[in-house]
Amino acid sequence: KVDEQSTEDMWKFMSFSPHAVQRNMLLDPHQHKVMCCGRRFGKSKGSASEALKIAAYGGWVWVVAPTFDLADVIFEDAVSMAEQSEYSSILAGVPRMSPGRQRLMTVTGGRIYAKSSEKPNSLLGRGIDLIIFDEASKETNPLIWPQYLSPTLSDRSGGSLVISTPDGNNWFKDRWLLGQPGSQRIPNIISWQYESRVNPYLPKGEWEE
């Protein structure tokens, strides 16, 4: 667990300036977060900043998506953010970028890996401090989260960011509903839904287009 001031300091360290809605979501203390937001909202960069924060404190992070190409989006954002800021001083060597073998390491022992859910057995292993599941509504196997990913968080009380644009009735919608007020929700989960236009960095006129 990293407090609010430490998070703010880490954002400065990695030259990240979240917009107001991103900031509120990332600082929210819930262990599990579900973000249903439009494209260009800033889901990827916000998630990348969270991955870098956890890795800076020695934590292990998995960025998971239905394919490696999708998982690589947040991973590349994390690498770019790290290399182009003061954060580069704590990188342990050059991040590995080969598809299927992506890895960023820090001198504090932190790790960020990009993972695909295409081969579920590759998601078995050691405990993880944070799982970021990108494009979650595109995942067609409803067992990926409960059977393969969620158990990796249990022994370290790890957190999760499950993010996506909406895409019908599926496990992502079910998990989003768990985080809504008044639901029969699991402990310590919250969910949000926002349109792309809340991002003030979106070029003027693009939302109308």
Side-chain angles (χ1 to χ4, degrees):
K1 301 295 187 298
V2 183
D3 63 31
E4 182 172 325
Q5 186 57 57
S6 297
T7 297
E8 297 271 12
D9 292 342
M10 186 58 63
W11 288 341
K12 293 178 182 177
F13 189 57
M14 62 180 76
S15 300
F16 174 61
S17 299
H19 60 71
V21 178
Q22 274 180 318
R23 183 181 185 280
N24 291 338
M25 296 166 84
L26 294 171
L27 290 177
D28 184 275
H30 284 81
Q31 180 180 4
H32 301 290
K33 305 177 185 182
V34 185
M35 303 179 183
C36 180
C37 303
R39 295 179 65 182
R40 318 273 42 97
F41 165 85
K43 300 186 299 297
S44 297
K45 281 191 167 52
S47 298
S49 76
E50 192 70 2
L52 288 172
K53 181 186 76 175
I54 298 300
Y57 285 93
W60 285 46
V61 181
W62 280 359
V63 179
V64 184
T67 67
F68 277 116
D69 284 346
L70 293 174
D72 202 42
V73 174
I74 291 177
F75 182 81
E76 286 191 355
D77 275 345
V79 171
S80 177
M81 196 179 295
E83 292 183 333
Q84 297 176 29
S85 68
E86 293 181 63
Y87 195 103
S88 62
S89 63
I90 67 169
L91 291 178
V94 178
R96 192 167 64 189
M97 305 295 290
S98 302
R101 299 178 62 82
Q102 297 100 317
R103 184 184 68 189
L104 179 151
M105 302 171 62
T106 66
V107 295
T108 57
R111 303 283 190 277
I112 302 175
Y113 293 94
K115 293 273 192 176
S116 164
S117 63
E118 292 174 296
K119 296 182 179 179
N121 286 338
S122 69
L123 302 175
L124 301 174
R126 61 160 288 158
I128 299 298
D129 297 287
L130 174 67
I131 289 177
I132 298 170
F133 200 126
D134 196 11
E135 297 295 350
S137 66
K138 308 302 181 188
E139 178 55 65
T140 58
N141 183 348
L143 296 179
I144 290 297
W145 181 261
Q147 186 167 320
Y148 294 95
L149 293 178
S150 183
T152 66
L153 299 172
S154 57
D155 57 340
R156 301 175 69 123
S157 297
S160 66
L161 287 175
V162 177
I163 64 178
S164 189
T165 52
D167 191 14
N169 296 310
N170 45 44
W171 81 274
F172 172 67
K173 181 179 179 181
D174 291 342
R175 188 154 184 85
W176 181 85
L177 289 170
L178 287 175
Q180 289 295 288
S183 71
Q184 298 296 316
R185 61 187 184 183
I186 61 177
N188 216 7
I189 185 172
I190 189 170
S191 62
W192 301 272
Q193 183 173 19
Y194 286 103
E195 296 177 324
S196 304
R197 61 177 162 182
V198 304
N199 180 0
Y201 302 128
L202 195 66
K204 187 176 180 179
E206 284 302 308
W207 170 258
E208 288 76 9
E209 176 67 20

